[in-house]
Amino acid sequence: MKAIRAHQFGDPGVLSIEDVPDPQPGPEQVLVRVHAAGVNPVDTYIRAGTYARKPQLPYTPGSDGAGVVSAVGAAATSVRRGDRVYLTGTSGGTGTYAELAIADARQVHLLPDHLSFGQGAAVGVPYGTAYRALFQRAHAVPGETVLVHGASGGVGTAAIQIGRACGLRMIGTAGTDRGLALVREQGADHVLNHRAPDYLEELRQVTGGRGVDVIVEMLANVNLAKDLTVLAFNGRVIVVGNRGTIEINPRDAMSRDAAILGMTLFNVRDPDRASIDAALNAGFRAGTLKPVVGREFPLADAPRAHEAVLEPGAYGKIVLLP
Ligand SMILES: NC(=O)c1ccc[n+]([C@@H]2O[C@H](COP(=O)([O-])OP(=O)(O)OC[C@H]3O[C@@H](n4cnc5c(N)ncnc54)[C@H](OP(=O)(O)O)[C@@H]3O)[C@@H](O)[C@H]2O)c1
């Protein structure tokens, strides 16, 4: 099969397409013919060798994908050969930037017919992160107001859709007109441009001076200090994305009884993951959750996709097509 391989850590140029042997599933595993693979920012940090997790070299990137079940191990009974599925992870040393990937049975989920493979590839990390941030970390309850600080990308569009479906009042930011229109289309009650100088003043007005209960933060090193000033009493900031350091005034948290909570999806344990999957699958089946695919690249263009996912002007999800 063809797969993207990295033989060393470094810039996107370390990714190249190669012929490698077809992987074979173990008894509790599923072999999937990948039709689309999700490109996440974390894939670029891992490729660069700057992330806490370092796979053994050479490796194939990618944890998210969707395709058709090609073989099942004897003990994997939840799906059958020919099923359309999406993956929330891979195992056996495989990755989704390939024609075939292996996943444990618990990482394989039926993909409803009305969702494309590209949409399936947009689910794993983005929707899992958005759900965990809102409900397992922030413990948001219907009626609360949420700011998704960076709502135009993979995690942000998912957060707006999920929050909206669950009765939260959703406010989302983007940095381009196109991104703002996208955030509005996902069901945001208000949209704000995080490149406008006065957008947090507008946020105060939109919330009647009260502030927001929850902030899902995609770029904490830029925004965390400001976030603490626009939280309501008992507010929670969930740090989802961060690319550096920042100075904050702790008094802004003290005066509001506010909390700053970190999260990484890699820390999620099986019972929480099963709960996330159950909630998301219900949303996909009901049609309230509809992943947005903004750009598609052929598999061989993985280096270009890794550049694109870090460029400003996010618009939903970037996927690779093997
Ligand atoms: N903790 C975890 O487990 C976890 C899981 C998934 C993702 N993440 C991280 O979360 C971040 C978002 O992931 P993603 O997949 O949604 O990435 P993405 O698709 O590339 O989207 C990035 C988002 O950040 C926005 N942004 C850019 N500058 C901003 C600013 N100054 N203030 C607020 N938002 C800004 C972008 O808006 P414009 O482009 O419109 O300006 C866009 O909405 C990344 O840093 C990623 O590594 C963490």
Side-chain angles (χ1 to χ4, degrees):
M1 69 155 175
K2 300 251 181 262
I4 295 293
R5 302 288 277 172
H7 290 263
Q8 56 182 318
F9 298 112
D11 65 26
V14 301
L15 302 177
S16 61
I17 194 157
E18 292 178 11
D19 286 306
V20 297
D22 288 2
Q24 302 299 328
E28 292 178 6
Q29 294 178 327
V30 177
L31 180 68
V32 174
R33 182 156 293 281
V34 180
H35 288 252
V39 176
N40 288 298
V42 72
D43 301 345
T44 73
Y45 318 151
I46 293 171
R47 184 218 66 232
T50 56
Y51 198 67
R53 291 179 159 237
K54 282 195 180 170
Q56 213 181 330
L57 294 169
Y59 82 103
T60 295
S63 59
D64 295 351
V68 175
V69 173
S70 156
V72 288
T77 53
S78 53
V79 290
R80 288 183 300 189
R81 196 162 182 271
D83 281 346
R84 299 172 83 250
V85 294
Y86 71 89
L87 305 182
T88 53
T90 61
S91 64
T94 65
T96 54
Y97 291 18
E99 289 176 330
L100 293 166
I102 287 178
D104 293 339
R106 66 187 163 77
Q107 299 170 316
V108 183
H109 310 271
L110 290 174
L111 180 67
D113 287 342
H114 62 269
L115 295 182
S116 69
F117 291 119
Q119 288 178 299
V123 172
V125 168
Y127 278 77
T129 301
Y131 187 89
R132 185 163 175 78
L134 286 170
F135 299 113
Q136 295 182 343
R137 300 297 290 139
H139 300 289
V141 293
E144 286 194 313
T145 301
V146 177
L147 173 69
V148 180
H149 216 163
S152 49
V155 179
T157 50
I160 296 286
Q161 291 177 8
I162 294 167
R164 166 79 187 214
C166 293
L168 294 160
R169 182 184 182 212
M170 301 304 291
I171 302 171
T173 77
T176 63
D177 288 344
R178 195 167 163 255
L180 289 167
L182 178 69
V183 177
R184 204 176 284 113
E185 283 161 25
Q186 304 321 304
D189 297 280
H190 293 280
V191 295
L192 301 166
N193 188 330
H194 51 237
R195 304 207 197 288
D198 56 350
Y199 76 105
L200 289 179
E201 188 45 47
E202 197 180 331
L203 178 67
R204 280 191 193 88
Q205 287 167 16
V206 161
T207 61
R210 180 181 170 275
V212 294
D213 300 294
V214 172
I215 300 178
V216 179
E217 180 52 63
M218 306 303 171
L219 200 57
N221 56 299
V222 171
N223 294 323
L224 188 57
K226 292 180 283 181
D227 286 345
L228 296 178
T229 70
V230 293
L231 277 179
F233 184 78
N234 242 331
R236 293 87 78 197
V237 182
I238 314 302
V239 178
V240 168
N242 181 61
R243 295 182 181 163
T245 58
I246 183 170
E247 185 175 308
I248 63 164
N249 183 351
R251 191 160 285 167
D252 290 327
M254 294 159 67
S255 59
R256 295 169 171 79
D257 279 17
I260 302 168
L261 299 157
M263 70 155 278
T264 169
L265 195 62
F266 288 117
N267 290 339
V268 76
R269 296 290 172 259
D270 281 351
D272 276 356
R273 182 74 235 192
S275 176
I276 292 171
D277 294 334
L280 296 179
N281 287 331
F284 296 131
R285 279 196 303 272
T288 47
L289 305 183
K290 294 179 191 156
V292 179
V293 176
R295 290 176 81 178
E296 297 175 338
F297 291 88
L299 182 62
D301 285 353
R304 178 71 199 106
H306 270 211
E307 287 166 1
V309 76
L310 295 183
E311 285 164 1
Y315 192 87
K317 190 76 208 160
I318 294 175
V319 300
L320 292 169
L321 304 179

